[in-house]
Amino acid sequence: MNMIVLVLMMAVTVEALVEYAKTFGRAIIEKQWKTAATQAGAVALGVLLCAAYGVQTFGLMDTTPGKNAFLTTVYCILVPFLNWALLGRRPTVCNGLAAVLCLGGIGLVSLTEGFTVGRGDLLTLVSGVIYAAHMIA
């Protein structure tokens, strides 16, 4: 199992570098690659993506792949609300209804007998939050 984690973490590092290169490449074409804001933005995107992949991978060690996949997609629901919190763009009524349905699904999938959430499920939910932050950044 440790070898799988090592390979996945190497893949995450490569993906973060690719994300940096994509952002940096766009800036080179626009001749803005020397600005500190562009470089800082590229690094922030890479770090967020690397963190999301890493946390999701560690969550996968303690939960099933199906639960991991379902819980990771919580970012789809979180993006409008993080966008509202950070940028002031209010979510629609459909976003609110979708969030309620998503929370119900998370409860059905994750809660155990004593209304507790497992470590893997919690890490996977955290990775969903990080993916949402990556999308807004």
Side-chain angles (χ1 to χ4, degrees):
M1 188 65 141
N2 290 335
M3 185 62 156
I4 293 171
V5 171
L6 179 63
V7 170
L8 288 174
M9 290 306 291
M10 288 170 37
V12 166
T13 302
V14 169
E15 180 63 32
L17 291 172
V18 167
E19 190 72 29
Y20 177 81
K22 285 193 306 189
T23 304
F24 200 61
R26 189 176 332 122
I28 289 172
I29 291 170
E30 297 170 1
K31 297 187 181 188
Q32 298 174 351
W33 60 276
K34 289 186 177 179
T35 64
T38 301
Q39 292 177 357
V43 169
L45 285 174
V47 166
L48 283 172
L49 191 61
C50 183
Y53 282 151
V55 172
Q56 182 182 15
T57 301
F58 283 112
L60 187 56
M61 291 171 53
D62 292 331
T63 191
T64 64
K67 286 170 81 173
N68 187 279
F70 177 76
L71 294 173
T72 299
T73 60
V74 76
Y75 75 87
C76 297
I77 302 301
L78 293 177
V79 166
F81 295 100
L82 280 178
N83 204 8
W84 183 23
L86 298 174
L87 303 175
R89 296 182 189 140
R90 194 176 181 95
T92 65
V93 173
C94 289
N95 294 130
L97 292 173
V100 169
L101 287 173
C102 181
L103 285 174
I106 289 171
L108 290 173
V109 168
S110 296
L111 291 177
T112 59
E113 294 173 3
F115 288 105
T116 60
V117 177
R119 179 178 174 259
D121 295 343
L122 185 62
L123 285 172
T124 303
L125 285 170
V126 169
S127 77
V129 173
I130 299 171
Y131 277 122
H134 176 261
M135 293 187 96
I136 291 174

